[in-house]
PDB file of all heavy atoms in Angstrom:
ATOM      1  N   SER A   1      13.534 -41.733  -7.085  1.00 97.00           N
ATOM      2  CA  SER A   1      12.628 -42.827  -7.474  1.00 97.00           C
ATOM      3  C   SER A   1      11.907 -42.516  -8.831  1.00 97.00           C
ATOM      4  O   SER A   1      11.975 -41.410  -9.313  1.00 97.00           O
ATOM      5  CB  SER A   1      11.572 -43.069  -6.367  1.00 97.00           C
ATOM      6  OG  SER A   1      10.685 -41.943  -6.354  1.00 97.00           O
ATOM      7  N   ARG A   2      11.229 -43.519  -9.289  1.00 96.00           N
ATOM      8  CA  ARG A   2      10.438 -43.321 -10.501  1.00 96.00           C
ATOM      9  C   ARG A   2       9.438 -42.244 -10.264  1.00 96.00           C
ATOM     10  O   ARG A   2       9.136 -41.398 -11.120  1.00 96.00           O
ATOM     11  CB  ARG A   2       9.729 -44.604 -10.929  1.00 96.00           C
ATOM     12  CG  ARG A   2       8.888 -44.434 -12.253  1.00 96.00           C
ATOM     13  CD  ARG A   2       8.511 -45.656 -12.898  1.00 96.00           C
ATOM     14  NE  ARG A   2       7.875 -45.368 -14.181  1.00 96.00           N
ATOM     15  CZ  ARG A   2       7.448 -46.255 -15.040  1.00 96.00           C
ATOM     16  NH1 ARG A   2       7.728 -47.516 -14.801  1.00 96.00           N
ATOM     17  NH2 ARG A   2       6.882 -45.867 -16.189  1.00 96.00           N
ATOM     18  N   ARG A   3       8.744 -42.255  -9.113  1.00 96.00           N
ATOM     19  CA  ARG A   3       7.729 -41.223  -8.885  1.00 96.00           C
ATOM     20  C   ARG A   3       8.316 -39.842  -8.856  1.00 96.00           C
ATOM     21  O   ARG A   3       7.797 -38.900  -9.380  1.00 96.00           O
ATOM     22  CB  ARG A   3       7.043 -41.485  -7.484  1.00 96.00           C
ATOM     23  CG  ARG A   3       5.938 -40.503  -7.193  1.00 96.00           C
ATOM     24  CD  ARG A   3       5.201 -40.873  -5.851  1.00 96.00           C
ATOM     25  NE  ARG A   3       4.139 -39.933  -5.567  1.00 96.00           N
ATOM     26  CZ  ARG A   3       3.433 -40.008  -4.509  1.00 96.00           C
ATOM     27  NH1 ARG A   3       3.591 -40.951  -3.622  1.00 96.00           N
ATOM     28  NH2 ARG A   3       2.479 -39.096  -4.270  1.00 96.00           N
ATOM     29  N   ASP A   4       9.548 -39.744  -8.273  1.00 97.00           N
ATOM     30  CA  ASP A   4      10.308 -38.452  -8.280  1.00 97.00           C
ATOM     31  C   ASP A   4      10.508 -37.986  -9.714  1.00 97.00           C
ATOM     32  O   ASP A   4      10.200 -36.847 -10.045  1.00 97.00           O
ATOM     33  CB  ASP A   4      11.591 -38.586  -7.583  1.00 97.00           C
ATOM     34  CG  ASP A   4      11.505 -38.818  -6.081  1.00 97.00           C
ATOM     35  OD1 ASP A   4      10.488 -38.381  -5.500  1.00 97.00           O
ATOM     36  OD2 ASP A   4      12.435 -39.408  -5.585  1.00 97.00           O
ATOM     37  N   VAL A   5      11.033 -38.903 -10.553  1.00 97.00           N
ATOM     38  CA  VAL A   5      11.437 -38.506 -11.926  1.00 97.00           C
ATOM     39  C   VAL A   5      10.125 -38.130 -12.672  1.00 97.00           C
ATOM     40  O   VAL A   5      10.156 -37.105 -13.394  1.00 97.00           O
ATOM     41  CB  VAL A   5      12.035 -39.708 -12.571  1.00 97.00           C
ATOM     42  CG1 VAL A   5      12.228 -39.483 -14.090  1.00 97.00           C
ATOM     43  CG2 VAL A   5      13.460 -40.035 -12.000  1.00 97.00           C
ATOM     44  N   GLU A   6       9.063 -38.839 -12.524  1.00 96.00           N
ATOM     45  CA  GLU A   6       7.806 -38.510 -13.192  1.00 96.00           C
ATOM     46  C   GLU A   6       7.292 -37.109 -12.821  1.00 96.00           C
ATOM     47  O   GLU A   6       6.791 -36.406 -13.671  1.00 96.00           O
ATOM     48  CB  GLU A   6       6.736 -39.531 -12.916  1.00 96.00           C
ATOM     49  CG  GLU A   6       7.056 -40.852 -13.665  1.00 96.00           C
ATOM     50  CD  GLU A   6       6.138 -42.002 -13.243  1.00 96.00           C
ATOM     51  OE1 GLU A   6       5.465 -41.864 -12.182  1.00 96.00           O
ATOM     52  OE2 GLU A   6       6.005 -42.963 -13.989  1.00 96.00           O
ATOM     53  N   GLN A   7       7.430 -36.734 -11.535  1.00 95.00           N
ATOM     54  CA  GLN A   7       7.026 -35.420 -11.103  1.00 95.00           C
ATOM     55  C   GLN A   7       7.854 -34.295 -11.616  1.00 95.00           C
ATOM     56  O   GLN A   7       7.418 -33.208 -11.857  1.00 95.00           O
ATOM     57  CB  GLN A   7       7.028 -35.381  -9.575  1.00 95.00           C
ATOM     58  CG  GLN A   7       5.974 -36.206  -8.844  1.00 95.00           C
ATOM     59  CD  GLN A   7       6.076 -36.038  -7.338  1.00 95.00           C
ATOM     60  OE1 GLN A   7       5.747 -34.913  -6.818  1.00 95.00           O
ATOM     61  NE2 GLN A   7       6.556 -37.047  -6.633  1.00 95.00           N
ATOM     62  N   LEU A   8       9.126 -34.613 -11.869  1.00 96.00           N
ATOM     63  CA  LEU A   8      10.123 -33.568 -12.233  1.00 96.00           C
ATOM     64  C   LEU A   8      10.290 -33.304 -13.706  1.00 96.00           C
ATOM     65  O   LEU A   8      10.788 -32.289 -14.089  1.00 96.00           O
ATOM     66  CB  LEU A   8      11.463 -33.954 -11.597  1.00 96.00           C
ATOM     67  CG  LEU A   8      11.577 -34.006 -10.106  1.00 96.00           C
ATOM     68  CD1 LEU A   8      12.779 -34.696  -9.663  1.00 96.00           C
ATOM     69  CD2 LEU A   8      11.421 -32.592  -9.543  1.00 96.00           C
ATOM     70  N   LEU A   9       9.803 -34.251 -14.550  1.00 96.00           N
ATOM     71  CA  LEU A   9       9.965 -34.089 -15.953  1.00 96.00           C
ATOM     72  C   LEU A   9       8.831 -33.345 -16.604  1.00 96.00           C
ATOM     73  O   LEU A   9       7.668 -33.663 -16.354  1.00 96.00           O
ATOM     74  CB  LEU A   9      10.115 -35.478 -16.689  1.00 96.00           C
ATOM     75  CG  LEU A   9      11.510 -36.046 -16.784  1.00 96.00           C
ATOM     76  CD1 LEU A   9      11.434 -37.423 -17.460  1.00 96.00           C
ATOM     77  CD2 LEU A   9      12.467 -35.133 -17.613  1.00 96.00           C
ATOM     78  N   ASP A  10       9.109 -32.347 -17.409  1.00 95.00           N
ATOM     79  CA  ASP A  10       8.118 -31.547 -18.202  1.00 95.00           C
ATOM     80  C   ASP A  10       8.377 -31.776 -19.633  1.00 95.00           C
ATOM     81  O   ASP A  10       9.481 -31.620 -20.141  1.00 95.00           O
ATOM     82  CB  ASP A  10       8.205 -30.125 -17.817  1.00 95.00           C
ATOM     83  CG  ASP A  10       7.311 -29.264 -18.673  1.00 95.00           C
ATOM     84  OD1 ASP A  10       6.103 -29.189 -18.296  1.00 95.00           O
ATOM     85  OD2 ASP A  10       7.761 -28.733 -19.719  1.00 95.00           O
ATOM     86  N   THR A  11       7.292 -32.228 -20.388  1.00 96.00           N
ATOM     87  CA  THR A  11       7.493 -32.669 -21.798  1.00 96.00           C
ATOM     88  C   THR A  11       8.044 -31.522 -22.619  1.00 96.00           C
ATOM     89  O   THR A  11       8.933 -31.627 -23.447  1.00 96.00           O
ATOM     90  CB  THR A  11       6.220 -33.177 -22.359  1.00 96.00           C
ATOM     91  OG1 THR A  11       5.827 -34.369 -21.630  1.00 96.00           O
ATOM     92  CG2 THR A  11       6.430 -33.592 -23.849  1.00 96.00           C
ATOM     93  N   GLY A  12       7.412 -30.294 -22.483  1.00 96.00           N
ATOM     94  CA  GLY A  12       7.833 -29.128 -23.304  1.00 96.00           C
ATOM     95  C   GLY A  12       9.315 -28.790 -23.050  1.00 96.00           C
ATOM     96  O   GLY A  12      10.064 -28.576 -24.014  1.00 96.00           O
ATOM     97  N   GLN A  13       9.690 -28.780 -21.786  1.00 97.00           N
ATOM     98  CA  GLN A  13      11.120 -28.474 -21.483  1.00 97.00           C
ATOM     99  C   GLN A  13      12.062 -29.596 -22.061  1.00 97.00           C
ATOM    100  O   GLN A  13      13.163 -29.307 -22.483  1.00 97.00           O
ATOM    101  CB  GLN A  13      11.327 -28.376 -20.009  1.00 97.00           C
ATOM    102  CG  GLN A  13      10.615 -27.114 -19.390  1.00 97.00           C
ATOM    103  CD  GLN A  13      10.798 -27.117 -17.852  1.00 97.00           C
ATOM    104  OE1 GLN A  13      11.258 -28.070 -17.245  1.00 97.00           O
ATOM    105  NE2 GLN A  13      10.417 -25.964 -17.260  1.00 97.00           N
ATOM    106  N   LEU A  14      11.573 -30.817 -22.026  1.00 98.00           N
ATOM    107  CA  LEU A  14      12.351 -31.945 -22.430  1.00 98.00           C
ATOM    108  C   LEU A  14      12.626 -31.844 -23.942  1.00 98.00           C
ATOM    109  O   LEU A  14      13.717 -32.108 -24.425  1.00 98.00           O
ATOM    110  CB  LEU A  14      11.705 -33.240 -22.033  1.00 98.00           C
ATOM    111  CG  LEU A  14      12.450 -34.613 -22.430  1.00 98.00           C
ATOM    112  CD1 LEU A  14      13.898 -34.569 -21.877  1.00 98.00           C
ATOM    113  CD2 LEU A  14      11.736 -35.764 -21.884  1.00 98.00           C
ATOM    114  N   VAL A  15      11.623 -31.559 -24.716  1.00 98.00           N
ATOM    115  CA  VAL A  15      11.728 -31.381 -26.183  1.00 98.00           C
ATOM    116  C   VAL A  15      12.790 -30.383 -26.456  1.00 98.00           C
ATOM    117  O   VAL A  15      13.745 -30.563 -27.308  1.00 98.00           O
ATOM    118  CB  VAL A  15      10.443 -31.013 -26.847  1.00 98.00           C
ATOM    119  CG1 VAL A  15      10.643 -30.708 -28.315  1.00 98.00           C
ATOM    120  CG2 VAL A  15       9.436 -32.183 -26.700  1.00 98.00           C
ATOM    121  N   ASP A  16      12.784 -29.218 -25.766  1.00 97.00           N
ATOM    122  CA  ASP A  16      13.791 -28.202 -25.992  1.00 97.00           C
ATOM    123  C   ASP A  16      15.185 -28.666 -25.575  1.00 97.00           C
ATOM    124  O   ASP A  16      16.155 -28.362 -26.264  1.00 97.00           O
ATOM    125  CB  ASP A  16      13.407 -26.951 -25.206  1.00 97.00           C
ATOM    126  CG  ASP A  16      12.163 -26.231 -25.782  1.00 97.00           C
ATOM    127  OD1 ASP A  16      11.859 -26.471 -26.948  1.00 97.00           O
ATOM    128  OD2 ASP A  16      11.554 -25.463 -25.064  1.00 97.00           O
ATOM    129  N   ALA A  17      15.249 -29.338 -24.423  1.00 97.00           N
ATOM    130  CA  ALA A  17      16.569 -29.836 -23.977  1.00 97.00           C
ATOM    131  C   ALA A  17      17.172 -30.891 -24.991  1.00 97.00           C
ATOM    132  O   ALA A  17      18.342 -30.884 -25.201  1.00 97.00           O
ATOM    133  CB  ALA A  17      16.425 -30.497 -22.583  1.00 97.00           C
ATOM    134  N   LEU A  18      16.293 -31.675 -25.506  1.00 98.00           N
ATOM    135  CA  LEU A  18      16.709 -32.663 -26.572  1.00 98.00           C
ATOM    136  C   LEU A  18      17.239 -31.952 -27.800  1.00 98.00           C
ATOM    137  O   LEU A  18      18.275 -32.413 -28.394  1.00 98.00           O
ATOM    138  CB  LEU A  18      15.574 -33.595 -26.918  1.00 98.00           C
ATOM    139  CG  LEU A  18      15.287 -34.661 -25.851  1.00 98.00           C
ATOM    140  CD1 LEU A  18      13.927 -35.290 -26.119  1.00 98.00           C
ATOM    141  CD2 LEU A  18      16.401 -35.759 -25.807  1.00 98.00           C
ATOM    142  N   ALA A  19      16.589 -30.905 -28.178  1.00 98.00           N
ATOM    143  CA  ALA A  19      17.097 -30.170 -29.358  1.00 98.00           C
ATOM    144  C   ALA A  19      18.505 -29.681 -29.087  1.00 98.00           C
ATOM    145  O   ALA A  19      19.423 -29.836 -29.982  1.00 98.00           O
ATOM    146  CB  ALA A  19      16.218 -28.992 -29.627  1.00 98.00           C
ATOM    147  N   THR A  20      18.827 -29.204 -27.922  1.00 97.00           N
ATOM    148  CA  THR A  20      20.176 -28.750 -27.596  1.00 97.00           C
ATOM    149  C   THR A  20      21.144 -29.932 -27.575  1.00 97.00           C
ATOM    150  O   THR A  20      22.263 -29.797 -28.170  1.00 97.00           O
ATOM    151  CB  THR A  20      20.166 -28.107 -26.164  1.00 97.00           C
ATOM    152  OG1 THR A  20      19.279 -26.919 -26.174  1.00 97.00           O
ATOM    153  CG2 THR A  20      21.544 -27.692 -25.745  1.00 97.00           C
ATOM    154  N   ALA A  21      20.759 -31.011 -26.972  1.00 97.00           N
ATOM    155  CA  ALA A  21      21.660 -32.195 -26.846  1.00 97.00           C
ATOM    156  C   ALA A  21      21.922 -32.774 -28.189  1.00 97.00           C
ATOM    157  O   ALA A  21      23.065 -33.172 -28.479  1.00 97.00           O
ATOM    158  CB  ALA A  21      21.097 -33.155 -25.899  1.00 97.00           C
ATOM    159  N   MET A  22      20.893 -32.852 -29.059  1.00 97.00           N
ATOM    160  CA  MET A  22      21.090 -33.509 -30.366  1.00 97.00           C
ATOM    161  C   MET A  22      21.956 -32.672 -31.254  1.00 97.00           C
ATOM    162  O   MET A  22      22.757 -33.094 -32.039  1.00 97.00           O
ATOM    163  CB  MET A  22      19.748 -33.787 -31.005  1.00 97.00           C
ATOM    164  CG  MET A  22      18.857 -34.718 -30.147  1.00 97.00           C
ATOM    165  SD  MET A  22      19.654 -36.187 -29.501  1.00 97.00           S
ATOM    166  CE  MET A  22      19.861 -37.139 -31.009  1.00 97.00           C
ATOM    167  N   SER A  23      21.823 -31.327 -31.109  1.00 97.00           N
ATOM    168  CA  SER A  23      22.661 -30.405 -31.920  1.00 97.00           C
ATOM    169  C   SER A  23      24.108 -30.555 -31.409  1.00 97.00           C
ATOM    170  O   SER A  23      25.074 -30.531 -32.205  1.00 97.00           O
ATOM    171  CB  SER A  23      22.202 -28.991 -31.695  1.00 97.00           C
ATOM    172  OG  SER A  23      23.037 -28.090 -32.354  1.00 97.00           O
ATOM    173  N   ASP A  24      24.303 -30.703 -30.080  1.00 96.00           N
ATOM    174  CA  ASP A  24      25.603 -30.863 -29.532  1.00 96.00           C
ATOM    175  C   ASP A  24      26.269 -32.111 -30.040  1.00 96.00           C
ATOM    176  O   ASP A  24      27.459 -32.156 -30.357  1.00 96.00           O
ATOM    177  CB  ASP A  24      25.443 -30.983 -28.003  1.00 96.00           C
ATOM    178  CG  ASP A  24      26.702 -30.668 -27.191  1.00 96.00           C
ATOM    179  OD1 ASP A  24      27.502 -29.864 -27.726  1.00 96.00           O
ATOM    180  OD2 ASP A  24      26.869 -31.171 -26.084  1.00 96.00           O
ATOM    181  N   LEU A  25      25.486 -33.199 -30.186  1.00 97.00           N
ATOM    182  CA  LEU A  25      26.012 -34.500 -30.699  1.00 97.00           C
ATOM    183  C   LEU A  25      26.418 -34.299 -32.174  1.00 97.00           C
ATOM    184  O   LEU A  25      27.484 -34.771 -32.567  1.00 97.00           O
ATOM    185  CB  LEU A  25      24.902 -35.523 -30.522  1.00 97.00           C
ATOM    186  CG  LEU A  25      25.313 -36.991 -31.015  1.00 97.00           C
ATOM    187  CD1 LEU A  25      26.472 -37.525 -30.270  1.00 97.00           C
ATOM    188  CD2 LEU A  25      24.115 -37.894 -31.014  1.00 97.00           C
ATOM    189  N   SER A  26      25.549 -33.749 -32.987  1.00 97.00           N
ATOM    190  CA  SER A  26      25.846 -33.646 -34.410  1.00 97.00           C
ATOM    191  C   SER A  26      27.005 -32.667 -34.687  1.00 97.00           C
ATOM    192  O   SER A  26      27.698 -32.817 -35.680  1.00 97.00           O
ATOM    193  CB  SER A  26      24.610 -33.163 -35.169  1.00 97.00           C
ATOM    194  OG  SER A  26      23.599 -34.141 -35.171  1.00 97.00           O
ATOM    195  N   ALA A  27      27.230 -31.748 -33.725  1.00 96.00           N
ATOM    196  CA  ALA A  27      28.369 -30.828 -33.927  1.00 96.00           C
ATOM    197  C   ALA A  27      29.663 -31.531 -33.499  1.00 96.00           C
ATOM    198  O   ALA A  27      30.805 -30.929 -33.697  1.00 96.00           O
ATOM    199  CB  ALA A  27      28.144 -29.597 -33.080  1.00 96.00           C
ATOM    200  N   GLY A  28      29.607 -32.719 -32.953  1.00 96.00           N
ATOM    201  CA  GLY A  28      30.820 -33.470 -32.529  1.00 96.00           C
ATOM    202  C   GLY A  28      31.278 -33.195 -31.178  1.00 96.00           C
ATOM    203  O   GLY A  28      32.427 -33.600 -30.811  1.00 96.00           O
ATOM    204  N   HIS A  29      30.508 -32.481 -30.402  1.00 97.00           N
ATOM    205  CA  HIS A  29      30.949 -32.110 -29.053  1.00 97.00           C
ATOM    206  C   HIS A  29      30.564 -33.181 -27.989  1.00 97.00           C
ATOM    207  O   HIS A  29      31.299 -33.397 -27.031  1.00 97.00           O
ATOM    208  CB  HIS A  29      30.339 -30.755 -28.610  1.00 97.00           C
ATOM    209  CG  HIS A  29      30.700 -29.723 -29.560  1.00 97.00           C
ATOM    210  ND1 HIS A  29      31.982 -29.463 -30.033  1.00 97.00           N
ATOM    211  CD2 HIS A  29      29.909 -28.702 -30.146  1.00 97.00           C
ATOM    212  CE1 HIS A  29      31.981 -28.413 -30.849  1.00 97.00           C
ATOM    213  NE2 HIS A  29      30.746 -27.959 -30.931  1.00 97.00           N
ATOM    214  N   ALA A  30      29.348 -33.756 -28.146  1.00 97.00           N
ATOM    215  CA  ALA A  30      28.920 -34.763 -27.197  1.00 97.00           C
ATOM    216  C   ALA A  30      29.410 -36.163 -27.500  1.00 97.00           C
ATOM    217  O   ALA A  30      29.919 -36.411 -28.649  1.00 97.00           O
ATOM    218  CB  ALA A  30      27.347 -34.828 -27.232  1.00 97.00           C
ATOM    219  N   SER A  31      29.368 -37.025 -26.513  1.00 96.00           N
ATOM    220  CA  SER A  31      29.847 -38.382 -26.678  1.00 96.00           C
ATOM    221  C   SER A  31      28.798 -39.333 -26.264  1.00 96.00           C
ATOM    222  O   SER A  31      28.196 -39.281 -25.165  1.00 96.00           O
ATOM    223  CB  SER A  31      31.131 -38.599 -25.801  1.00 96.00           C
ATOM    224  OG  SER A  31      31.601 -39.948 -25.866  1.00 96.00           O
ATOM    225  N   ALA A  32      28.438 -40.307 -27.226  1.00 95.00           N
ATOM    226  CA  ALA A  32      27.380 -41.315 -26.936  1.00 95.00           C
ATOM    227  C   ALA A  32      27.759 -42.532 -27.762  1.00 95.00           C
ATOM    228  O   ALA A  32      27.264 -42.760 -28.840  1.00 95.00           O
ATOM    229  CB  ALA A  32      26.079 -40.810 -27.309  1.00 95.00           C
ATOM    230  N   PRO A  33      28.695 -43.333 -27.249  1.00 95.00           N
ATOM    231  CA  PRO A  33      29.084 -44.585 -27.963  1.00 95.00           C
ATOM    232  C   PRO A  33      27.917 -45.562 -28.125  1.00 95.00           C
ATOM    233  O   PRO A  33      26.937 -45.534 -27.466  1.00 95.00           O
ATOM    234  CB  PRO A  33      30.192 -45.201 -27.064  1.00 95.00           C
ATOM    235  CG  PRO A  33      29.941 -44.604 -25.725  1.00 95.00           C
ATOM    236  CD  PRO A  33      29.384 -43.273 -25.925  1.00 95.00           C
TER     237      PRO A  33
END
């Protein structure tokens, strides 16, 4: 649920995870049409 998601997301961890994912995309490995 939304409440579950809100409890489980940590902003600091999310910023770091986004850095990994965006690097993955720019390197041509990820797919996001």
Side-chain angles (χ1 to χ4, degrees):
S1 69
R2 178 165 189 176
R3 183 176 180 182
D4 292 332
V5 171
E6 289 172 339
Q7 290 182 69
L8 295 167
L9 270 178
D10 174 84
T11 300
Q13 292 178 350
L14 181 54
V15 172
D16 291 338
L18 285 165
T20 298
M22 302 313 289
S23 177
D24 202 29
L25 180 66
S26 291
H29 304 313
S31 176

